[in-house]
Structure formats: C-alpha cells, structure tokens
Amino acid sequence: MPVEFNHTIVHARDNRESARFFTELLGLDITTEWGPFIAVALSNGVTLDFATVPEDSITPQHYAFLVSEEEFDAAYALITRRGIEHYADPHRRRPGTINHNDGGRGVYFTDPSGHAMELITVPYGGWPA
C-alpha cells in the first residue's frame, strides 16, 4: 500500500469555533464528531481533526490549501467581508492584498486559534508540464 497522509489534529481554543470557521471559509462540512474531535474532510480524503486544548498549549502551525479559482474567490470575499487581517506574504509585510505567484493567487491569514493559514490556486513552482 502506498503511504498516504490521512489526518492531522489541529489544536484549537474551541474546536467547534475553529471547525466552523474553516468549513464556512471553504464551503466544506463537518464530517465526523467523536471524542474530543470535530473532523472536516478535504477532497483528497485527508481530515483535519479539531481538538479543544488549553490556549497556552497551542503552538501555531502553518496550514496551506490548494483551492480552485472559484473557491479562492469565495473564500477571499468572506475574508474581506468579515474584516479578517490578511497578507500577500507570510512575513506580513503586504497587508490587505493577495499575491500572484507561479501564475496563481495566494493569501495568508490566521484562524481563531492563531494558526497561519494559506490559500493558493497554483502549487509552488507551478503545475507540472
């Protein structure tokens, strides 16, 4: 069997708030709730399992998502409508805008628990020839 990435646990101040933020932003659904986890499945079968933990034990992580142009448009409209701080770069030097790398678009922002989120429409380095 080939090795596949299956799931990751995303620490959150409030697992329901973080899962809802993510599902609303990307038009996804909560797929499973069990134990301390609220799972959101991505189109490739990977799940993000949100778990509530004490805020002082959350280490901000970076999560990047490859999305379609239409998904990017919808998510970016929600980001701007809600007044979510966002940047064209991971160093936060270009606030309030997006980037145009590798023939696509990208944006950086944080989720309710402080994780660095990134949406891109083209993989880094561009699409394979």
Side-chain angles (χ1 to χ4, degrees), residues 32-56:
T32 308
E33 295 186 42
W34 54 276
F37 305 108
I38 296 179
V40 176
L42 305 179
S43 63
N44 59 352
V46 173
T47 63
L48 303 176
D49 299 349
F50 293 91
T52 299
V53 300
E55 188 169 358
D56 63 352

Side-chain angles (χ1 to χ4, degrees), residues 24-27 65-81 86 98-100 104-107 119-121:
E24 289 173 359
L25 185 70
L26 294 177
F65 301 94
L66 181 61
V67 298
S68 70
E69 292 290 338
E70 295 78 18
E71 289 164 330
F72 187 93
D73 289 340
Y76 190 65
L78 188 60
I79 288 168
T80 56
R81 190 169 51 251
H86 59 282
I98 64 172
N99 66 57
H100 297 274
R105 298 180 291 162
V107 66
L119 303 178
I120 56 174
T121 61

Side-chain angles (χ1 to χ4, degrees), residues 100-123:
H100 297 274
N101 295 332
D102 296 313
R105 298 180 291 162
V107 66
Y108 296 84
F109 56 97
T110 57
D111 80 345
S113 295
H115 296 295
M117 308 297 257
E118 177 183 8
L119 303 178
I120 56 174
T121 61
V122 173

Side-chain angles (χ1 to χ4, degrees), residues 3-64:
V3 176
E4 294 183 4
F5 186 67
N6 180 262
H7 72 278
T8 191
I9 296 172
V10 181
H11 289 171
R13 292 182 312 213
D14 177 327
N15 62 353
R16 187 160 306 283
E17 173 190 36
S18 290
R20 186 172 41 251
F21 174 85
F22 192 77
T23 59
E24 289 173 359
L25 185 70
L26 294 177
L28 299 171
D29 295 311
I30 291 172
T31 52
T32 308
E33 295 186 42
W34 54 276
F37 305 108
I38 296 179
V40 176
L42 305 179
S43 63
N44 59 352
V46 173
T47 63
L48 303 176
D49 299 349
F50 293 91
T52 299
V53 300
E55 188 169 358
D56 63 352
S57 67
I58 296 173
T59 301
Q61 300 293 313
H62 175 74
Y63 298 96

